[in-house]
Amino acid sequence: MAWAERLVSLWPLNLSHCRELLASDPDAEFLLHGVEFGFPVTSDAAAVPPSRCEPYRSVFEHAGAVRAAVQGELALSQVVRPPPGLISPTRHSLGAVPKPDSGKARPVHDFSQPLGRAVNEHIFHLRRSFPTITDIASTLEPGCYAAKADVSGYFMNFPANPQHWHLLAFLFPAADQGGGLEELWGTRVLFGLRHGPEIAERFTQAVVRLMRAHGFTCTYGMLDDFWVQGSTEAECWLAWSFLIAILTHLGFPVNFSPGKSVAPSQQVRMLGVEVDTAAMVLRLGAARVERLRALVADLVSAYRRGFPTRPCREISSLLGKLGWASHVLRGGRIFLNHLRACTLGARSPRHHVTLNEAAVSDLAWWARALRGRAGMRCVIGRLDPPLQCQTDARGQWDSDSPG
C-alpha cells in the first residue's frame, strides 16, 4: 500500500552504496537482502498467536522522558501510527529504563511476554560472541593513538520487513488523548527483538572487515561502537577519517556528541573503560566504581542482617556489571562462580534466589578489589609468543623460546 511504500522510502541505509561497499563481503547476501526488503521479524508471521500486552508501570513513572523519546522516533518514522481502522492482534509491552545521571529514559520493548505467545519465541537466531575491551588491550602499543566512532540509534537504522510491522505494535501514553493510550507500530528492528543483536553485530563486523581489507587492521566493532588505532597520530587520523566516511556513505548517522565519537587521542573511553596508551593502563570510571561498591555492599549488608534472598533479576544484573568490570580487574571472573550458581535454580527473573556464604565471600573479594587503585590495572599490550617448556620421560627439560 502507498502508506508502507512512503515509509520504506525513508529507510536510512543507502542500498546502492551498501551494494557498492559490501558486495564482496561473506555476509553480503543476508545484509543486502535486509537493507532492500527489511529484516524479517520471524520466518512465519502467521504462527505468532495474538497477544494484547499493556505498558509496564515504568512507562508511566517516566512518562515525560518516554514520551519525548517516542516522539523523536515518530518524527523519524522509526515507529508510526497505523492507518485508521488497522489494529494489530499482536501487541508487546513497552517499558522504560532511566539513564544514570540524566533526566532521560530509554524505551525498551519486551517481546518475551506473554509466555507461550511471545514474538521472541518464534524468532530463530544465532548466538554470537562479541569483542571485548580485552581484545583491544591485547593490541595496544605504548604511546599509540586511538579513536572511536558511535552510531546514533544503531538498531533503528535496520529496517523491519513491512509485512511484519504489525508484530512490532505496542501501546504508548499519548499526551493529546487525555491520558489514554494509542497504538504504534515499529518499522525498524526494535531493541528487544531476540535477533536484533545478531543483525546489528553482523553489520558491524562487515564494516570491520571492510576497514581491515583497506589496510586498517587494528579496527574493532562492538555493535554501535567502532574503534581504530594507529602507531602515530597521523596514522590514526587516517583510519578514523576513513571509518567516518564509510559509515556515512552506508547511511549511518555518526554521533559526534561529546564523548560519543572521539578524535585520535592517547586517552579514549571505550565500553565504559578509559584506555590510556601513554601510561598503558585501563581504568574504570570513579562513578561506575562507586555504584558497583554500593551494590556489592548492599547485598553483603542484607545477608549479614538476615536477608539472604534477592530477586534473580537483581543478581543477574549485578553479575553482568561485575563481569564487565572483570575485563579490567584481573581474576574477577573466578569470584563470580558462586554468585552465578545461586541463580541456576530460578525459573524466572522475578523469582527470588538465596545467597550462601560462598557467594558472600566472593562479594567480599569484589568489595576489596574495588577499593584498590580505583579499578585500574596495567595493560600487557601486544603479547610475545609464549615460552614453551617440554620434558621427556627422564625429566630432562627443554624450551622452545622465540629467538
Side-chain angles (χ1 to χ4, degrees):
M1 61 180 68
W3 168 74
E5 291 176 357
R6 180 183 64 82
L7 294 172
V8 167
S9 68
L10 299 176
W11 285 350
L13 296 182
N14 190 307
L15 178 59
S16 61
H17 292 174
C18 288
R19 286 172 173 166
E20 172 193 350
L21 296 179
L22 304 178
S24 60
D25 188 84
D27 214 9
E29 181 179 357
F30 170 80
L31 298 176
L32 295 180
H33 186 275
V35 172
E36 182 174 5
F37 301 105
F39 293 94
V41 173
T42 178
S43 58
D44 186 5
V48 181
S51 60
R52 306 291 287 176
C53 297
E54 300 293 319
Y56 286 117
R57 183 174 59 186
S58 58
V59 170
F60 302 99
E61 293 173 348
H62 306 280
V66 172
R67 189 173 292 114
V70 174
Q71 290 294 348
E73 295 172 356
L74 280 167
L76 297 173
S77 298
Q78 296 170 347
V79 299
V80 297
R81 295 180 174 88
L86 197 58
I87 300 176
S88 172
T90 305
R91 193 173 64 205
H92 65 274
S93 293
L94 180 69
V97 177
K99 295 183 178 181
D101 304 323
S102 72
K104 299 180 180 180
R106 178 185 291 109
V108 292
H109 300 266
D110 186 1
F111 292 96
S112 62
Q113 298 293 330
L115 295 178
R117 290 182 292 160
V119 172
N120 274 351
E121 295 176 4
H122 297 267
I123 295 178
F124 172 79
H125 76 296
L126 299 174
R127 294 187 178 275
R128 301 179 67 86
S129 59
F130 299 90
T132 67
I133 196 66
T134 305
D135 298 317
I136 292 176
S138 66
T139 66
L140 294 176
E141 296 177 331
C144 68
Y145 284 80
K148 74 170 185 176
D150 178 87
V151 177
S152 299
Y154 196 49
F155 279 62
M156 289 298 195
N157 290 285
F158 304 111
N161 190 296
Q163 297 181 8
H164 295 171
W165 287 352
H166 68 282
L167 299 177
L168 307 179
F170 62 95
L171 289 181
F172 167 68
D176 56 353
Q177 292 193 6
L181 300 173
E182 68 171 324
E183 184 173 287
L184 302 178
W185 291 12
T187 65
R188 311 288 170 83
V189 177
L190 299 181
F191 189 78
L193 286 172
R194 193 177 192 180
H195 62 339
E198 178 196 347
I199 294 172
E201 182 64 10
R202 289 173 75 168
F203 221 111
T204 297
Q205 296 311 315
V207 173
V208 170
R209 287 190 292 267
L210 182 61
M211 287 286 294
R212 292 178 176 175
H214 283 81
F216 303 107
T217 55
C218 289
T219 302
Y220 294 90
M222 298 82 167
L223 293 179
D224 61 336
D225 288 317
F226 294 86
W227 169 282
V228 293
Q229 66 190 57
S231 300
T232 65
E233 186 176 8
E235 183 180 321
C236 190
W237 268 105
L238 180 61
W240 190 62
S241 301
F242 193 79
L243 172 63
I244 298 296
I246 283 179
L247 293 173
T248 304
H249 196 64
L250 292 173
F252 288 108
V254 179
N255 187 353
F256 288 102
S257 300
K260 293 296 184 179
S261 292
V262 180
S265 173
Q266 291 181 323
Q267 292 184 350
V268 179
R269 182 172 295 279
M270 183 68 170
L271 302 178
V273 176
E274 182 183 330
V275 181
D276 187 338
T277 62
M280 287 301 284
V281 296
L282 300 180
R283 298 186 185 93
L284 297 178
R288 290 174 179 264
V289 170
E290 286 301 321
R291 285 197 291 268
L292 283 176
R293 285 177 182 169
L295 291 173
V296 171
D298 178 58
L299 276 180
V300 173
S301 175
Y303 180 85
R304 301 302 184 200
R305 289 184 285 109
F307 299 96
T309 61
R310 285 297 178 97
C312 183
R313 186 189 304 277
E314 180 181 340
I315 302 300
S316 298
S317 175
L318 179 61
L319 280 168
K321 293 172 182 177
L322 294 179
W324 161 79
S326 67
H327 290 298
V328 176
L329 293 172
R330 284 187 180 176
R333 284 192 177 277
I334 196 171
F335 292 98
L336 297 177
N337 292 336
H338 292 111
L339 191 62
R340 186 178 292 109
C342 293
T343 67
L344 296 181
R347 297 182 180 180
S348 166
R350 297 183 179 86
H351 289 178
H352 280 62
V353 298
T354 302
L355 302 183
N356 53 36
E357 193 65 36
V360 174
S361 295
D362 284 355
L363 289 172
W365 180 91
W366 275 100
R368 293 191 299 270
L370 291 170
R371 283 198 300 267
R373 301 180 64 191
M376 176 173 56
R377 78 166 172 88
C378 292
V379 179
I380 295 177
R382 290 188 173 174
L383 300 176
D384 293 325
L387 175 67
Q388 298 180 358
C389 296
Q390 303 170 347
T391 181
D392 58 21
R394 296 175 299 170
Q396 298 294 318
W397 290 90
D398 190 15
S399 66
D400 183 10
S401 177

